[in-house]
Each structure stands twice: as C-alpha cells, then as structure tokens.
Amino acid sequence: MAPPSKPLISIAIEAYNEEANNLSPPVDTIAALCTQDFPLELVELILIGSPRQFEYWGHFCLPEDAFWNVHLLPISASNAHYWQLKNEAAKVAQADYLAFIDCDCLPGPRWLPALAEALRNGADVSVGFSQYRTERLDANSALMLAAALPSWGFVLARRSTPQAGALVAHNFAIRRDLMLRHKFSTLKHSFPSSLLYFDLLRSGARFSFQPDQRVAHGMTFRWWLTRMHFRRGWETYIGRQSDPDWPRIKALEQIPLIEPIILRFALVCRDARHWFRYSHHLGLQRTRALCLFPLAVVASLLARSAEMAGMYAALLAPDASANQARF
C-alpha cells in the first residue's frame, strides 16, 4: 500500500528543558510513541532543538521507518527557548492536526488515539491529564499520584464531568491552522500556555478534555517544590498584568500581604475536591483514592505553600528571588 500523501498528525518534541537536563534525549518518549494503538504511518515526528542538542542526539538511533516522516529541525541557540521552539514546529508541520509533548514526558498507551479522536470529533483543542514520574517511581505510584494532583487539577474546570479549564504545553493537541493564528507568547516565563488558553477561548475555540490523553513528566522532588511551584506563585503578579482574563479576586488584591495565604489555601480545598471528583478517571479505585487522600492533601499543602512563598518573594524581594523563579 502506498504511503499517504500527507500525515494526519504532526507530533512536536522540543529539546528544551530545565538547565539540569537540557540535553535530555527523547528516546523513551519516542519508544512510547511507537507502542501507541494508532497507525504511525499517519504521524509526522518533528524533533526540534539547538545544534548542540542534535549533536548529542546523534548517538541514538531514531525509528524513522515507523513514521510518515521524521523531521529534524535544528534551531540556532539564540532562538532555542521553549516557546520559540514550539512556534517553529507549528510552522513546519505537514499535518492538519498538531500535538505537543516534551522530550522528558512519557505518553500513556492511548495518548495519541485519544487526542486524534477528540480532534476528529470536532474539537479545536484537546488536553488531558499531566502526571509525574522519577527514575524510581512510575506515574501510578502513591507519591507520584499525590504530587500530580495540583498539576492536573489546574487543567480541569470546576464541572461535574471532566472539562478543560486550562492547557499545559507538554500535553495538548490543536488544529494547526488555529495554532498558526494564535501562537505562544515568547515571554521567558512558564505561563504563555495560559495566555494561549485565554486567547483561544476568546476566539471561540472548542476544547475537549480526554482522560486517556495522559503523559508522565520527568521530575525530581526538589525541582517540583522549589522551582516549579515556587515559580508558579512568583509569576502570579506578572501573569495578571499580561492578560485581562487571568483569574483574580479583586477584593484580595487590595490586601496584598494576606492574599497569598487565602489564595493558595483555597487551592488546597479545590485540589481536595478534584481528588474525589476526578481521580477515578486515572484508574484509581474508590478504596485506593480514600487511602491516598491524606497523602494527596499533604502534597497539595506543600505545593501551595511553595507557591505562597513564591508570591511573597515576588512581592517583597522580586530581584533577589528572580533566579529561583527562572524558566
């Protein structure tokens, strides 16, 4: 059978990452993509990063014959920041559908079929669960399930059924023509995915949340607490200034020294509610969800406390804490 003239989906894997592992090879990510229950001859794979990263990746064999095409796209180091890489991948993609995943993420077994189904059924954007993994713990271990609660809770809207309330850049799919019209901001912060979400909402884009569209992001506990969640709190004030639709409670903004405490511990309550409402979509039986609930609450308290510390650092010592909140 002759190969199709164009792919159905282009998957962009960028090589940018935190400075500790910024040469992370996408071998595990690609291996997981090769096991998807989906015809890979309909999939274009785009690997994008700096020339130095491609030199490092050259030691690994890529399964080029498995996909419609494997497009290697070196980008000059000066343009190889996270958001720029994703925008560049959208420009060169050949398919009508575009999926984004990071080089340190493992897609779940039905990641690709789930997002393809959503877009085929009329969604403009598809998002799913974001989980975590370490070298020793997989995404379904007790600690990783608890640590992931604030992250996947962020993506879910407050509804009785799972619906998209945000998007994260390492796990979403979108119609390419829409992505070309609504690009990522290239601010060197972690929240341009939120800015894109607000922009897409204002344009009338239709969102879908797919429980099977799961990825497990590589992490260390130090990064999770002192970098990612600290940064999320630190960037709150910048995010508010960047988009009028950024969530805010105007009354709390009038009492800045109290706002971080109330705002972040309100999110602990939301996390607890989300755990009972949505954790079964991750495959947790009711008994296990109940047993893990105290651990999930502790993880939420730690994460939100780090965010609260980030807000106070941005409020009281922004210059001194900027390096800790770098992206």
Side-chain angles (χ1 to χ4, degrees):
M1 181 181 295
S5 59
K6 66 179 293 185
L8 177 68
I9 300 175
S10 296
I11 300 175
I13 304 178
E14 45 65 39
Y16 179 85
N17 210 324
E18 302 288 352
E19 60 276 2
N21 60 338
N22 62 3
L23 295 180
S24 178
V27 177
D28 292 342
T29 304
I30 295 174
L33 288 174
C34 288
T35 64
Q36 299 283 302
D37 184 18
F38 193 85
L40 296 182
E41 64 271 16
L42 299 179
V43 177
E44 176 189 33
L45 191 62
I46 302 171
L47 297 177
I48 182 169
S50 70
R52 179 167 170 251
Q53 288 158 332
F54 273 99
E55 181 181 350
Y56 180 72
W57 286 5
H59 299 291
F60 302 94
C61 294
L62 300 174
E64 297 187 36
D65 294 339
F67 296 91
W68 183 84
N69 181 43
V70 176
H71 188 164
L72 303 178
L73 186 62
I75 299 294
S76 66
S78 61
N79 292 320
H81 194 268
Y82 188 74
W83 306 112
Q84 292 165 309
L85 292 175
K86 292 186 182 297
N87 287 336
E88 289 299 319
K91 291 179 184 178
V92 303
Q94 297 295 307
D96 292 332
Y97 302 153
L98 181 60
F100 290 96
I101 189 170
D102 287 2
C103 67
D104 56 357
C105 288
L106 289 184
R110 288 195 48 77
W111 180 76
L112 192 48
L115 65 85
E117 179 183 4
L119 296 176
R120 280 171 161 170
N121 288 340
D124 296 312
V125 186
S126 180
V127 301
F129 282 111
S130 289
Q131 299 179 263
Y132 290 112
R133 63 186 174 92
T134 68
E135 291 183 354
R136 297 183 179 181
L137 299 173
D138 65 33
N140 292 317
S141 65
L143 282 175
M144 292 297 97
L145 286 168
L149 171 59
S151 293
W152 59 253
F154 166 74
V155 178
L156 282 163
R158 299 179 186 179
R159 302 289 188 273
S160 57
T161 58
Q163 295 182 35
L167 67 81
V168 289
H170 61 261
N171 181 21
F172 83 105
I174 186 172
R175 297 183 186 275
R176 178 174 175 264
D177 63 332
L178 191 62
M179 186 66 203
L180 292 176
R181 297 197 304 271
H182 303 270
K183 299 176 182 178
F184 282 113
S185 163
T186 54
L187 290 172
K188 291 189 176 180
H189 294 290
S190 67
F191 59 74
S193 55
S194 293
L195 301 183
L196 177 61
Y197 173 74
F198 300 142
D199 191 24
L200 290 170
L201 272 185
R202 288 190 291 264
S203 75
R206 294 161 294 185
F207 281 78
S208 173
F209 185 92
Q210 295 292 308
D212 286 338
Q213 187 182 323
R214 305 178 197 169
V215 302
H217 195 293
M219 61 93 89
T220 65
F221 283 104
R222 181 178 180 180
W223 169 85
W224 176 83
L225 190 64
T226 66
R227 289 293 303 279
M228 188 193 74
H229 282 290
F230 179 89
R231 179 174 61 216
R232 182 174 292 177
W234 192 91
E235 291 179 339
T236 298
Y237 302 107
I238 305 172
R240 284 178 184 169
Q241 297 171 0
S242 301
D243 195 288
D245 289 330
W246 190 278
R248 67 189 73 215
I249 302 174
K250 291 186 177 181
L252 283 180
E253 292 182 34
Q254 306 305 312
I255 44 174
L257 291 179
I258 303 298
E259 181 189 15
I261 298 173
I262 298 176
L263 188 61
R264 294 303 162 181
F265 282 97
L267 290 177
V268 174
C269 296
R270 189 193 71 175
D271 290 341
R273 185 168 179 259
H274 276 8
W275 180 263
F276 282 112
R277 176 164 283 182
Y278 302 119
S279 60
H280 68 280
H281 290 287
L282 286 168
L284 269 71
Q285 298 295 326
R286 191 69 173 176
T287 301
R288 191 182 186 208
L290 285 169
C291 291
L292 293 181
F293 178 66
L295 184 61
V297 171
V298 169
S300 177
L301 281 167
L302 288 172
R304 304 312 185 183
S305 295
E307 292 170 9
M308 181 176 64
M311 289 185 72
Y312 278 121
L315 190 64
L316 302 175
D319 294 337
S321 57
N323 186 61
Q324 184 67 25
R326 66 194 179 277
F327 179 70

